[in-house]
Amino acid sequence: MDNLTALDRLRRLLAIIPWVAAEGGMSLEAVARRFDYPRDDLLEDIWFVVQMIGVAPFGPGDMLEARVEDDWVHIEYSHWFARPMTLRPEEVLSLLAAGQSVAEFSIGDELGPLGRALTKLSAMVEPEVRDAIDVRLGVADDELLKALQQARADRRIVEIDYYSYGRDELTTRVVEPHGLTADMGHWYLSAHCRMAGATRVFRLDRVSRYAVGDEVYPEPTSPGAGPEGFLAGDDYPEVELLLEPSVRWVITQYPHHGTEDGDGEGLRVRLPVASTAWLERLLLRLGTAATVLEAPEGLGLDLRSFAAARVLARYGG
Amino acid sequence: MVESKLRRLMNLVTALLHAECPKTRDELRAGLREYYAEDDASFRRQFERDKDEIRAMGIPLITGFAPDTDPPVTGYRIDRSRYRGDLPDLTPDELAALHLANNLVRLGDAPSDDPFWRLGGRPDESEVAAVARLPGEPALRDLMDAIAERRTATFNYHGVERVVEPHRLAFRNGHWHVKGHDRTRGGERQFRVDRFESAVERGEPGGCERPQKASGVEDRPAWRYGDDEPLTARLAVDAPHVPWVLGHLGEAGVVDRLEDGSVIIEEEVCNREAFRSFVLTFLEGAEILGPRELRDDLIRWLEGMAWTT
């Protein structure tokens, strides 16, 4: 890490001092590596900061002793820092939540050390609190998730029936799974899609059938795209909407930019449009609480009207 | 600049840890004269900032009246027993597994290595890509803290200030929910954390009771909460959407499965607006079969837009 701030260094030193003292010394390299402290900064901070720690009147016996000899760090008389600061309850719960979430989707017997770490961490909080945080990473069929993890591990192709929300169509594809990701409540498979001839990201709750094949595919050369890459780049057309206060939630759910309060009229926002079906749904749901201020041809109010008419046709309208 | 600030903060923390009883600002200044400005006003500003930064790091800085001061003057010290509480004794492989999990499942954008410094440092240097990303709402940290320390949490929700005894936090369908006893309204309530309209103010530790067994966060869709007169809606959903619908709503509501793969489901609706919004996500892939009231409501909504060109 470059350019550690004074607080970054303070956090690290408050942990380093008790550790080095308890170990009876540590190599400079080991401290730098374990505490992500650039070696030169560490050396400088030991000489010019740690050596000068003490309490008034700063006489002999009031100062901590720190030195570096042959790339070996010694720290003594550091009784104020006999132990590192303990974890805050909120830090324990956050680590437990992350660990338990990983345990939930892991396959095989990889849980050994993680399971033990979670047991030890749990002991730090009251028993009733241990299960107070409950994370369900995403909606997905457990069998499908495990099957895809296994197919990824064995590098086997998978045939899926997939409903494309953006294009509103059902297709059957053969894919080479690269990775699985849970993002903001949904599980995604990133895979090479043989139909598209490129990497695609699939949401697992839109896979209606799957079959793992026997064919083994070659190791992918590039990492798969994650869902965060969905709307990266400037390749998508944009619409500008004016949102009434009741539908401001749009900005908490969709990528957007150029947010601006429109002088008491509502909120102006620009949204990238990855597919027309997506925009149709959004505009129909928002109704007249959203006004299209600017849109490329075919993505404005006429799009909304046609979509509304199409849905109405189903109701005999 | 960085170095002088670091030296000042390290020595301030040392003095506060060393203190057996609360030390006044001026007593602390006397011992740290070379690190602070001579000018009184600058010193005070600097000292206040330092104090805030130390607190923000989670260091248990406590205040009390300094002894032998008349009139009483506020003093400061670090609560040593809270600062030096137990840490789990993790083996290197356990620490590595926990570190990996913390990087795989990310709360917010960046994983925090901070707890790992205190657990003995980062066990490896490899960067792993996150497998799961959860929204890191600003209120989460305060809510976790409140749950663990039996504090109340006060926040604005639907325009009302609520004082809640939080029992449980759950991540469901892309959102964090907190459940607990709502003192303002009386009774158990569930809140969506991203809908909080203010920051969370935490009460004192031990300020509320915790039930023996907290009930789980309910996974109810938005249209089942609300004040509209409850209606049972019949909805036909076309085959391509069926896995998604069943994944979210479960099988319980399915009353019929047709040969073409579509299903008929029944749902209780207490919030018509939310239900309409849900149905429209299917575009023409779903149809409200009844009751008449809900069907007509959707038709009217669409007619309002079909004619606006």
Side-chain angles (χ1 to χ4, degrees):
Chain A
M1 188 190 272
D2 296 325
N3 301 325
L4 296 181
T5 65
L7 289 176
D8 292 333
R9 292 170 192 225
L10 179 65
R11 281 194 190 90
R12 285 167 170 77
L13 288 180
L14 288 175
I16 289 171
I17 294 168
W19 272 98
V20 172
E23 296 281 322
M26 262 170 123
S27 82
L28 193 63
E29 297 304 329
V31 180
R33 191 179 63 245
R34 292 183 71 89
F35 294 90
D36 197 16
Y37 216 128
R39 191 181 179 281
D40 291 346
D41 292 349
L42 176 64
L43 196 58
E44 205 165 292
D45 287 348
I46 289 171
W47 286 126
F48 299 107
V49 178
V50 181
Q51 269 223 347
M52 303 178 81
I53 294 173
V55 292
F58 298 96
D62 299 325
M63 301 291 289
L64 182 150
E65 200 175 297
R67 60 185 193 282
V68 181
E69 281 170 1
D70 298 331
D71 284 346
W72 196 261
V73 186
H74 299 270
I75 294 178
E76 288 164 316
Y77 307 113
S78 58
H79 51 277
W80 306 288
F81 305 101
R83 300 170 72 164
M85 183 168 72
T86 188
L87 298 179
R88 296 189 298 272
E90 145 268 319
E91 290 174 319
V92 176
L93 290 190
S94 184
L95 289 173
L96 280 174
Q100 284 162 354
S101 307
V102 170
E104 184 197 338
F105 68 76
S106 293
I107 52 168
D109 304 321
E110 298 149 32
L111 265 185
L114 179 60
R116 290 197 302 275
L118 293 177
T119 309
K120 289 180 181 176
L121 266 182
S122 299
M124 295 186 65
V125 289
E126 294 174 37
E128 304 88 64
V129 176
R130 284 173 204 165
D131 303 319
I133 301 203
D134 176 10
V135 174
R136 202 170 295 163
L137 290 174
V139 176
D141 179 333
D142 208 34
E143 245 174 59
L144 169 65
L145 192 59
K146 302 272 183 216
L148 290 173
Q149 280 176 301
Q150 200 59 56
R152 165 73 193 92
D154 301 341
R155 283 197 280 116
R156 289 191 187 279
I157 57 159
V158 183
E159 186 181 84
I160 56 172
D161 284 352
Y162 186 72
Y163 169 69
S164 164
Y165 188 77
R167 281 194 296 280
D168 197 20
E169 66 181 18
L170 186 71
T171 51
T172 299
R173 304 151 183 256
V174 173
V175 299
E176 303 171 359
H178 291 176
L180 285 152
T181 313
D183 192 59
M184 308 293 174
H186 297 288
W187 275 103
Y188 297 88
L189 166 71
S190 140
H192 176 78
C193 170
R194 292 188 176 174
M195 188 173 95
T199 300
R200 289 285 182 271
V201 179
F202 303 96
R203 228 173 87 170
L204 294 200
D205 57 357
R206 297 195 186 125
V207 174
S208 53
R209 184 192 64 85
Y210 69 94
V212 179
D214 293 329
E215 186 187 329
V216 174
Y217 62 84
E219 187 63 38
T221 47
S222 61
E228 66 275 11
F230 279 166
L231 291 175
D234 305 320
D235 301 339
Y236 294 100
E238 287 186 350
V239 290
E240 185 174 336
L241 302 183
L242 182 66
L243 304 173
E244 287 182 8
S246 61
V247 295
R248 281 178 78 108
W249 55 262
V250 169
I251 59 166
T252 67
Q253 297 205 354
Y254 301 110
H256 63 278
H257 52 87
T259 314
E260 187 187 318
D261 267 308
D263 294 334
E265 295 168 13
L267 186 76
R268 285 165 178 265
V269 63
R270 296 187 74 82
L271 299 168
V273 180
S275 79
T276 47
W278 172 82
L279 185 62
E280 283 176 346
R281 287 186 181 95
L282 181 66
L283 292 177
L284 289 189
R285 290 167 67 200
L286 299 177
T288 48
T291 311
V292 181
L293 295 177
E294 202 186 312
E297 204 179 328
L299 291 181
L301 284 178
D302 45 350
L303 177 88
R304 187 175 84 175
S305 300
F306 287 129
R310 239 172 42 233
V311 182
L312 270 175
R314 177 152 188 173
Y315 288 81
Chain B
M1 175 68 188
V2 168
E3 200 175 280
S4 66
K5 179 175 178 182
L6 180 61
R7 217 178 292 151
R8 185 180 76 237
L9 287 171
M10 274 301 314
N11 278 292
L12 177 61
V13 170
T14 310
L16 290 164
L17 270 171
H18 182 70
E20 296 292 340
C21 53
K23 295 281 178 203
T24 66
R25 200 164 50 191
D26 288 332
E27 283 171 328
L28 290 163
R29 182 189 193 180
L32 299 167
R33 197 157 286 283
E34 63 182 293
Y35 301 115
Y36 281 107
E38 283 189 18
D39 166 56
D40 284 350
S42 311
F43 159 68
R44 271 189 211 131
R45 273 197 307 275
Q46 187 67 68
F47 182 77
E48 290 303 314
R49 269 205 299 273
D50 288 351
K51 210 154 53 76
D52 291 345
E53 289 188 322
I54 286 174
R55 279 217 173 96
M57 283 172 61
I59 294 178
L61 180 66
I62 50 177
T63 54
F65 290 126
D68 307 325
T69 53
D70 189 20
V73 178
T74 302
Y76 308 90
R77 70 183 178 90
I78 289 172
D79 183 337
R80 285 199 290 241
S81 61
R82 267 170 66 203
Y83 182 92
R84 295 176 187 157
D86 289 337
L87 278 169
D89 185 16
L90 299 178
T91 60
D93 62 335
E94 290 163 2
L95 188 62
L98 195 62
H99 190 250
L100 180 67
N102 194 50
N103 278 276
L104 288 173
V105 176
R106 291 188 185 169
L107 227 58
D109 294 331
S112 167
D113 268 333
D114 193 21
F116 288 93
W117 307 144
R118 284 169 274 149
L119 289 167
R122 205 172 58 154
D124 54 67
E125 281 182 285
S126 57
E127 292 284 329
V128 293
V131 164
R133 215 157 54 100
L134 289 84
E137 306 290 346
L140 275 184
R141 199 174 134 169
D142 290 325
L143 289 171
M144 286 186 186
D145 197 27
I147 289 174
E149 298 197 316
R150 289 192 285 113
R151 296 168 185 260
T152 56
T154 304
F155 50 87
N156 289 343
Y157 200 84
H158 284 173
V160 178
E161 188 186 84
R162 316 279 184 133
V163 181
V164 175
E165 303 174 4
H167 301 150
R168 218 173 153 89
L169 257 180
F171 182 70
R172 292 281 186 280
N173 294 327
H175 303 287
W176 283 100
H177 303 260
V178 63
K179 192 167 189 177
H181 177 77
D182 178 355
R183 287 188 184 172
T184 310
R185 289 279 160 96
E188 197 170 55
R189 290 279 192 286
Q190 182 172 315
F191 305 92
R192 241 177 77 174
V193 179
D194 60 327
R195 301 247 165 103
F196 283 17
E197 290 153 3
S198 68
V200 172
E201 197 182 307
R202 298 169 311 164
E204 290 301 313
C208 54
E209 292 303 313
R210 186 184 293 129
Q212 283 286 319
K213 182 152 178 49
S215 62
V217 165
E218 289 165 49
D219 212 355
R220 292 187 297 177
W223 57 86
R224 290 190 211 158
Y225 297 89
D227 301 324
D228 296 342
E229 189 193 332
L231 288 172
T232 302
R234 276 173 77 80
L235 184 74
V237 180
D238 290 355
H241 306 289
V242 169
W244 182 82
V245 166
L246 299 188
H248 281 269
L249 303 182
E251 304 267 347
V254 177
V255 292
D256 206 359
R257 288 175 181 275
L258 308 184
E259 269 182 26
D260 61 2
S262 64
V263 293
I264 312 283
I265 56 171
E266 285 192 348
E267 273 291 312
E268 192 183 57
V269 176
C270 301
N271 178 338
R272 292 178 198 185
E273 196 183 315
F275 186 67
R276 182 182 62 216
S277 186
F278 167 67
V279 174
L280 285 172
T281 60
F282 301 106
L283 294 172
E284 62 269 51
E287 180 182 350
I288 299 175
L289 302 175
R292 189 90 233 163
E293 222 175 316
L294 281 182
R295 190 178 159 92
D296 287 348
D297 171 64
L298 187 85
I299 292 172
R300 265 196 309 278
W301 176 265
L302 288 168
E303 282 174 346
M305 286 183 281
W307 295 339
T308 316
T309 50

